[in-house]
């Protein structure tokens, strides 16, 4: 099967390519089950070595290859040719500065991530028997969904509120905060809720729902943001999530 | 030339690197992590099934049993003192991960949940024991996230997307590393008292692999080029259950939860090869069994794959037959193996709760690598001489706890245990050590090499050489080996190396994010490691663990209870390798306990 790619290119180092432009590539012998990442690799390896993209695991767990494929944020390694057809348009994710071809500057994204205290806090001494802290299966279940986040930025860069205002922490950072806010072992929920109730926190979310279908891990992102909002309104995460 | 100075540089930001960074930092060292990927992209995140520790949360368990399984699983090539350190430290390490917030699955009484895994038994091989502590089938993801989170909390310094390409040694002493900043193409010098390589494996040397594209063995190749030997390179694990053709890992946890392997007759063939623990035998045993089934014409539809079946009706039937009281249903499978189901549905259109999964062995894990002692200090000869200031941990290192075949879950244990021990050792070392002066113009060599590559204008694209290397290694240095196959690999690799040197073309002449150039450089690393692997395999005239010679079918304890050390000699344009087999396996547990003495391995 023949597939045509239309790829958004940009290379600040080369005159004539230092403004974004579209370039077409044609690939033959494509199988319907080929991953878009494999096809991009074929273009890079066989036709144009200068094409730049990030990738690593190639099966949807490392979060390197988020890009806009036929107008939708996806991981290139989790989309098959049969999912998108024989005309495939690929461009960098939106809302972060493009550095070269499909590579964007991830620093603003990770800065937002670091701003929400994305780490476990519990200053009590661990159990005297030297063993694990106990947690019921029900309590563990409450934050299960948000533990799946791989920080690929598909959600944040699909969010119109983020496009309009890059200072908004964005859904991914809130998902990461959620994972700790609703962990019964953690003690810093209040601090995180304070951070997220600031002007560029969770209230920038206007429940547009772009983030949820964008998530390659099928996290119910909008729901998680809603739960954080509810916890802020209540002044505590307690009782917000019922399992 | 930008030059940075830190007490310690950790190269690589997977589980071992992050654990080491955390401990070196907590111990007072000024430490930086330098990685070619953003830390959360590291391949630790792809580990699925669990991390082994004898917590005994569900059934009685002991570290000594874990050590025994590790030694036996390694076909008696593991250093027994190290295996015991691994098993004993595993418990503390897992508890500590929980204290760092790692969201393990829980037992009904709120403890860390554990499941069965290949080769893990109670009471010296008596029966399978649930030892793999897990968070669904994304345990590695949780470990990687948790450690990165803790590093942020600890304010560890990160240099993300800095690709380390050389190690600076001065008069045999470690002085730092050199890295390419991906966004600018500029070289940076990191001057340090201590350097740890935690760069992971090199599964991309083979065509069917579970490994990420970035697993190209950079750290190992750099060390090798700087005079550090590679140990036990002939032992590379093929995981029995990769998705057919794609190689994506299907965790052993599937079989731990009751899944079975079936051939085209619907026969549970592992009953023939491992009558006692069947599908939960060690990985080398199961991978060989699959190859043998395929060879006998028992592959599915005449193709080189078999079925892995986790359908509740199949699993429950075998549970009932075996008098096992466990029963599973669809919800249980969805809960315990969500990512596996997702992979199969996404890539194969197969729903594992309704249909069996097509699987074949996939290149998975390097047992060999940079030799270290149990404190992650690099050792450079059979006399355990330490290279001052140089450390290695995780898959790139060879302690050796995995011997000739690693047990499932022990890779994650290795990362955490030896990453931590290495981090502590580094904190101590940098307190008393001085900076070794940088040599004049330390970047001259690597700069010349990168410029040579950047300006390569031959006819062969890097992917052509890479593909040929991968297919050659798959065919000739795979699960079964012979003199002829291995010699063919050695000759073929020499040819590929020559073409790499004289006829390569790199199209991108730029500086910023020149992935064309760096992929070409990575290919050079893989070619070196492939050659060392083939030579070490050719030299070892016995079958042991993952190294299965059809022309030397027996294990030969009389002559081969030794590690292979491979040294690179000659010029970089025309290197040769010297193999040393004088480093004896540590048998200290066997000296006190009969049960640790090498004997025939049956499961």
């Amino acid at each position: 099967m023949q597939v045509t790619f239309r790829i958004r290119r940009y290379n600040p180092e080369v005159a004539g390519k230092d403004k974004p432009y579209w370039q077409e590539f044609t690939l033959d012998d494509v199988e319907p089950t080929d991953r878009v990442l494999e096809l991009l690799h074929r273009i890079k390896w066989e036709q144009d070595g200068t094409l730049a993209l990030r990738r690593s695991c190639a099966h949807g767990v490392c979060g390197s290859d988020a890009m806009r494929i036929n107008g939708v944020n996806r991981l290139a390694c989790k989309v098959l040719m049969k999912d998108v057809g024989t005309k495939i348009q690929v461009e960098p994710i939106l809302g972060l500065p493009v550095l070269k071809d499909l590579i964007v500057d991830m620093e603003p994204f990770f800065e937002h991530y670091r701003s929400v205290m994305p780490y476990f806090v519990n200053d009590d001494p661990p159990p005297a028997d030297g063993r694990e802290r106990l947690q019921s299966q029900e309590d563990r279940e409450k934050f299960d969904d948000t533990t799946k986040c791989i920080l690929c930025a598909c959600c944040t860069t699909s969010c119109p509120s983020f496009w309009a205002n890059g200072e908004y922490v964005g859904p991914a950072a809130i998902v990461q905060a959620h994972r700790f806010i609703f962990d019964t072992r953690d003690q810093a929920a209040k601090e995180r809720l304070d951070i997220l109730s600031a002007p560029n926190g969770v209230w920038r979310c206007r429940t547009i729902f772009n983030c949820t279908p964008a998530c390659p891990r099928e996290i119910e992102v909008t729901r998680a943001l809603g739960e954080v909002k509810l916890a802020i309104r209540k002044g505590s995460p307690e009782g917000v999530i019922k399992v | 030339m930008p030059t940075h100075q830190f007490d310690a540089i950790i190269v690589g930001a997977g589980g071992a690197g992050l654990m080491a960074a955390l401990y070196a930092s907590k111990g007072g060292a000024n430490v930086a992590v330098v990685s070619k990927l953003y830390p959360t992209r590291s391949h630790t995140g792809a580990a699925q099934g669990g991390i082994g520790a004898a917590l005994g949360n569900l059934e009685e368990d002991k570290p000594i049993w874990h050590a025994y399984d590790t030694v036996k699983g390694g076909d008696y090539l593991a250093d027994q003192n190290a295996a015991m350190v691994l098993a004993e430290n595993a418990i503390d390490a897992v508890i500590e991960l929980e204290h760092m917030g790692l969201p393990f699955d829980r037992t009904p009484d709120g403890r860390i949940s554990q499941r069965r895994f290949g080769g893990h038994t109670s009471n010296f091989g008596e029966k399978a024991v649930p030892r793999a502590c897990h968070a669904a089938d994304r345990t590695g993801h949780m470990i990687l996230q948790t450690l990165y989170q803790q590093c942020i909390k600890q304010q560890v310094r990160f240099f993300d997307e800095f690709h380390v390409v050389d190690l600076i040694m001065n008069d045999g002493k470690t002085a730092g590393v050199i890295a390419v900043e991906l966004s600018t193409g500029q070289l940076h010098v990191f001057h340090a008292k201590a350097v740890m390589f935690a760069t992971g494996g090199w599964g991309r040397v083979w065509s069917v692999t579970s490994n990420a594209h970035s697993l190209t063995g950079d750290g190992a190749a750099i060390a090798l080029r700087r005079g550090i030997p590679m140990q036990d390179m002939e032992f590379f694990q093929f995981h029995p259950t990769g998705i057919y053709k794609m190689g994506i890992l299907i965790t052993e946890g599937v079989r731990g939860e009751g899944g079975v392997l079936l051939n085209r007759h619907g026969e549970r063939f592992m009953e023939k090869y491992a009558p006692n623990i069947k599908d939960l035998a060690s990985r080398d045993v199961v991978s060989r069994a699959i190859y043998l089934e395929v060879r006998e014409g028992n592959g599915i539809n005449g193709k080189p794959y078999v079925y892995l079946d986790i359908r509740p009706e199949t699993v429950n039937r075998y549970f009932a037959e075996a008098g096992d009281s466990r029963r599973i249903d669809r919800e249980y499978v969805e809960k315990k193996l969500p990512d596996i189901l997702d992979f199969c549905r996404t890539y194969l259109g197969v729903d594992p709760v309704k249909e069996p999964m097509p699987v074949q062995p996939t290149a998975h894990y390097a047992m060999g690598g940079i030799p270290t002692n149990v404190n992650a200090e690099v050792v450079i000869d059979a006399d355990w001489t330490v290279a001052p200031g140089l450390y290695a941990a995780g898959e790139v290192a060879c302690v050796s706890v995995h011997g000739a075949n690693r047990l499932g879950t022990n890779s994650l244990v290795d990362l955490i245990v030896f990453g931590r021990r290495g981090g502590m050792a580094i904190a101590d070392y940098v307190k008393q050590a001085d900076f070794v002066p940088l040599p004049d113009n330390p970047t001259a060599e690597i700069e010349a090499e990168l410029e040579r590559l950047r300006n390569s204008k031959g006819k062969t694209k890097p992917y052509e050489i890479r593909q040929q290397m991968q297919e050659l290694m798959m065919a000739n240095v795979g699960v079964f080996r012979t003199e002829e196959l291995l010699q063919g690999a050695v000759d073929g690799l020499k040819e590929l190396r020559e073409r790499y040197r004289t006829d390569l073309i790199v199209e991108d002449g730029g500086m910023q994010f020149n992935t064309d150039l760096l992929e070409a450089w990575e290919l050079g690393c893989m070619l070196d490691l492939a050659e060392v692997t083939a030579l070490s395999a050719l030299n070892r005239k016995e079958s042991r663990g993952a190294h299965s010679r059809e022309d030397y079918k027996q294990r030969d304890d009389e002559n081969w209870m030794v590690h292979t050390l491979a040294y690179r000699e000659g010029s970089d344009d025309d290197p040769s390798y010297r193999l040393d087999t004088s480093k004896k396996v540590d048998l200290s547990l066997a000296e006190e306990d009969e049960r640790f003495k090498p004997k025939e391995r049956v499961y």
Side-chain angles (χ1 to χ4, degrees):
Chain A
M1 203 178 291
Q2 193 183 66
V3 170
T4 313
F5 269 83
R6 192 162 175 263
I7 301 178
R8 192 72 169 162
R9 306 286 311 262
Y10 166 68
N11 186 341
E13 287 184 278
V14 178
K17 299 185 171 178
D18 52 354
K19 299 241 169 13
Y21 64 102
W22 293 100
Q23 187 174 3
E24 284 205 2
F25 296 91
T26 306
L27 285 174
D28 291 314
D29 303 322
V30 173
E31 299 285 331
T33 52
D34 284 346
R35 289 165 271 187
V36 169
L37 176 64
E38 289 171 82
L39 302 178
L40 290 170
H41 268 153
R42 276 187 57 191
I43 292 170
K44 179 178 176 58
W45 294 341
E46 297 167 13
Q47 299 186 26
D48 184 352
T50 67
L51 179 67
L53 64 145
R54 290 190 178 102
R55 87 288 185 264
S56 186
C57 79
H59 65 286
V61 297
C62 82
S64 296
D65 58 346
M67 46 190 85
R68 213 166 137 84
I69 299 172
N70 288 357
V72 184
N73 278 6
R74 310 290 294 267
L75 297 180
C77 62
K78 273 201 94 173
V79 187
L80 309 186
M81 183 250 132
K82 66 181 163 80
D83 303 331
V84 285
T86 54
K87 294 204 181 321
I88 305 176
Q89 178 172 301
V90 183
E91 47 191 319
I93 45 179
L94 300 180
L96 294 168
V98 178
L99 300 176
K100 182 179 179 182
D101 294 339
L102 301 170
I103 296 179
V104 299
D105 182 3
M106 293 294 285
E107 278 312 312
F109 173 81
F110 279 105
E111 214 174 293
H112 287 316
Y113 162 71
R114 287 189 296 265
S115 75
V116 300
M117 299 176 68
Y119 41 78
F120 185 73
V121 176
N122 183 331
D123 296 329
D124 291 345
D129 63 358
R131 297 296 301 253
E132 65 266 49
R133 293 192 167 92
L134 301 181
Q135 184 171 49
S136 71
Q137 291 177 335
E138 292 69 32
D139 282 344
R140 167 66 179 79
E141 183 61 28
K142 286 176 186 166
F143 65 102
D144 186 62
D145 202 33
T146 47
T147 63
K148 297 188 300 199
C149 174
I150 54 175
L151 293 164
C152 65
C154 276
C155 60
T156 296
T157 61
S158 73
C159 173
S161 298
F162 180 75
W163 296 339
N165 172 12
E167 298 298 307
Y168 167 40
V169 292
I174 302 168
V175 161
Q176 289 284 337
H178 178 285
R179 176 253 169 273
F180 292 103
I181 291 168
F182 294 97
D183 185 338
T184 49
R185 301 168 300 166
D186 183 89
Q187 297 175 330
K190 175 142 193 344
E191 287 90 325
R192 290 191 199 93
L193 292 175
D194 284 347
I195 292 168
L196 292 176
S197 58
N200 285 315
V202 70
W203 301 112
R204 290 267 171 221
C205 165
R206 302 300 155 95
T207 333
I208 297 161
F209 273 92
N210 269 14
C211 50
T212 300
C215 178
R217 304 287 287 161
E218 293 173 13
I219 298 170
E220 293 183 88
V221 181
T222 317
R223 173 201 284 264
L225 270 57
E227 286 165 348
V228 170
K229 289 174 182 170
L230 210 55
I232 292 176
R233 294 277 297 272
K234 289 176 66 133
S236 152
E238 226 150 288
V240 169
I241 302 178
K242 305 206 169 49
V243 182
Chain B
M1 181 77 48
T3 302
H4 314 264
Q5 200 176 59
F6 289 92
D7 287 340
I9 292 294
I10 313 289
V11 186
L18 295 179
M19 195 72 180
L22 205 52
Y23 268 86
S25 175
K26 282 180 178 171
N30 179 22
V31 47
V33 180
V34 182
S35 172
K36 66 178 176 178
L37 302 174
Y38 275 97
T40 56
R41 314 302 185 215
S42 307
H43 210 55
T44 297
Q48 298 170 355
I51 173 166
L55 301 181
N57 282 354
L58 290 162
E59 289 174 24
E60 189 191 8
D61 202 1
K62 296 176 181 176
I64 187 107
W65 297 346
H66 186 184
Y68 172 81
D69 292 336
T70 301
V71 166
K72 178 181 170 186
D75 217 349
Y76 297 92
L77 192 78
D79 284 323
Q80 298 191 349
N81 59 336
M84 197 65 212
V85 167
L86 179 93
E88 278 178 340
N89 286 190
I91 295 177
D92 276 356
V94 166
I95 295 294
E96 186 179 7
L97 288 173
E98 197 283 329
H99 292 167
M100 290 176 182
L102 196 141
F104 283 108
D105 283 7
R106 298 287 167 160
T107 64
D109 57 352
R111 298 203 166 275
I112 295 170
S113 181
Q114 298 186 280
R115 61 160 66 117
R116 289 167 180 78
F117 235 78
H120 289 280
T121 68
S122 56
N123 203 15
F124 302 93
E126 200 173 276
K127 65 177 176 67
V129 69
R131 184 178 290 146
C133 311
H134 60 274
D137 54 357
R138 44 179 90 104
T139 314
H141 164 75
M142 301 299 190
I143 290 177
L144 184 65
Q145 294 282 328
T146 300
L147 292 176
Y148 184 51
Q149 292 154 3
Q150 290 296 308
C151 283
I152 292 173
K153 190 178 182 187
Q154 180 71 24
Q155 298 182 316
V156 171
R157 181 78 189 272
F158 282 91
F159 289 85
D160 299 332
E161 296 196 327
F162 277 68
H163 194 153
V164 170
V165 286
D166 205 358
L167 166 68
I168 310 170
M169 304 278 276
N170 197 347
D171 201 16
K173 289 190 181 134
T174 307
V177 294
I178 300 165
V180 178
E181 181 180 19
L182 296 190
S183 62
T184 63
Q186 193 168 30
L187 289 176
H188 288 242
V189 171
F190 291 87
H191 189 200
K193 295 176 184 176
V195 169
M196 171 182 275
F197 281 112
T199 51
W202 43 91
R204 284 280 154 183
V205 163
W206 286 265
S207 57
V208 177
T209 178
S210 63
N211 283 201
H213 285 285
S214 42
L215 286 171
T216 51
D218 310 357
I222 290 168
L224 181 68
R225 291 167 186 171
R226 289 288 166 201
I228 308 298
M230 290 295 119
Q231 182 169 306
D232 295 342
M233 290 292 281
E234 60 272 41
F235 299 102
F236 198 92
Q237 179 167 81
F238 281 74
H239 191 294
T241 58
I243 292 181
Y244 177 50
K245 283 189 184 166
M246 303 181 82
I248 297 170
L249 180 67
I250 301 290
T251 174
E252 206 165 299
V254 170
R255 284 169 284 141
E257 300 289 3
V260 291
L261 290 162
L262 303 172
N263 64 20
R264 76 183 177 96
H265 308 293
E267 184 191 3
R268 187 186 184 186
F269 57 86
M270 281 313 297
E271 287 176 335
K272 289 186 289 190
Y273 300 94
N276 189 25
I277 57 174
K278 305 184 177 81
D279 300 87
L280 287 175
S282 296
R283 289 177 179 172
D284 58 330
V285 175
V286 182
S287 285
R288 275 195 294 277
I290 293 173
Y291 263 80
L292 291 172
E293 286 298 308
V294 167
R295 198 181 280 181
E296 283 164 30
N298 295 334
I300 310 295
N301 298 325
K303 302 253 170 64
Y305 69 92
V306 296
Y307 279 141
L308 174 60
D309 196 342
I310 187 69
R311 289 177 295 180
E313 62 269 28
T314 308
V315 172
N316 290 336
R317 181 158 49 85
Y318 282 110
F319 278 162
E321 249 175 46
D324 188 325
S325 64
R326 286 182 292 164
R327 295 292 179 273
I328 64 170
D329 57 18
R330 185 198 173 89
E331 287 67 39
Y332 182 84
V333 178
E334 298 270 0
K335 193 84 215 139
K336 285 294 182 184
L337 302 163
D339 281 2
I340 293 305
L341 301 189
D342 180 35
F343 299 151
C344 290
R345 288 167 183 159
T346 301
Y347 296 117
L348 301 170
V350 164
D351 185 349
V353 290
K354 294 192 193 130
E355 298 161 83
M357 299 167 256
V359 294
Q360 73 174 127
T362 180
H364 185 56
Y365 186 88
M367 271 73 73
I370 302 173
T372 71
N373 60 26
V374 294
N375 294 320
E377 295 172 298
V378 172
V379 292
I380 54 169
D381 56 28
D383 300 325
W384 297 85
T385 306
V386 168
L390 192 57
Y391 298 78
E395 188 174 344
V396 71
C398 180
V399 182
S400 150
V401 283
H402 308 307
N405 169 64
R406 175 175 69 74
L407 277 198
T409 82
N410 270 357
S411 58
L412 292 176
V413 187
D414 180 349
L415 302 181
I416 302 308
V417 166
F418 294 105
R420 180 166 76 163
R421 293 176 73 93
M424 288 175 179
I426 285 173
D428 287 344
Y429 177 80
V430 300
K431 276 188 196 118
Q432 46 84 18
D434 292 323
F435 281 95
V436 173
L438 289 171
D440 293 339
N441 203 358
T443 59
E445 269 178 64
I446 189 65
E447 209 168 356
E449 169 67 4
L450 290 174
E451 282 318 299
R452 190 186 68 75
L453 283 172
R454 202 190 308 271
N455 298 310
S456 295
K457 294 288 171 262
K459 291 183 294 298
T460 311
K461 296 193 176 198
Y463 88 94
E464 298 173 60
I465 296 180
R466 185 169 54 230
Q467 228 164 42
Q468 286 174 34
M469 169 195 70
Q470 289 169 335
E471 278 159 21
L472 179 64
M473 289 298 284
M474 201 72 196
N476 289 31
V477 196
V479 168
F480 284 110
R481 301 157 175 193
T482 64
E483 177 101 18
E484 198 187 340
L485 287 173
L486 293 169
Q487 190 58 54
V490 170
D491 298 342
L493 288 165
K494 279 215 166 73
E495 222 176 281
L496 289 173
R497 169 147 56 84
E498 190 54 25
R499 277 171 66 199
Y500 175 79
R501 218 174 56 79
T502 58
D503 191 40
L504 197 69
I505 174 163
V506 169
E507 292 170 74
D508 193 338
M511 294 297 284
Q512 303 180 16
F513 288 106
N514 191 339
T515 50
D516 194 25
L517 169 71
L518 287 164
E519 281 184 23
W521 180 82
E522 289 172 334
L523 173 59
C525 293
M526 291 194 284
L527 285 169
D528 284 357
L529 297 178
E531 196 172 343
V532 175
T533 303
L535 284 167
S536 301
L538 185 61
N539 190 53
R540 185 175 283 269
K541 295 183 172 50
E542 64 157 353
S543 288
R544 183 185 296 274
H547 175 65
S548 198
R549 292 275 304 244
E550 294 195 278
D551 41 1
Y552 299 94
K553 289 195 170 173
Q554 299 305 313
R555 197 178 77 197
D556 176 0
D557 288 347
E558 203 156 307
N559 296 303
W560 287 103
M561 287 296 286
V562 291
H563 298 292
T564 305
L565 292 174
Y567 294 84
R568 183 177 167 109
E569 294 178 337
S571 72
D572 276 352
D573 285 344
D574 186 25
S576 59
Y577 294 93
R578 174 171 61 84
L579 301 180
D580 174 341
T581 52
S582 65
K583 187 176 180 182
K584 292 205 158 45
V585 174
D586 178 274
L587 295 169
S588 49
L589 297 176
E591 279 159 26
E592 285 162 28
D593 188 336
E594 278 288 310
R595 291 172 294 199
F596 281 87
K597 284 207 169 127
K599 58 182 165 298
E600 199 194 342
R601 193 155 147 264
V602 282
Y603 280 105

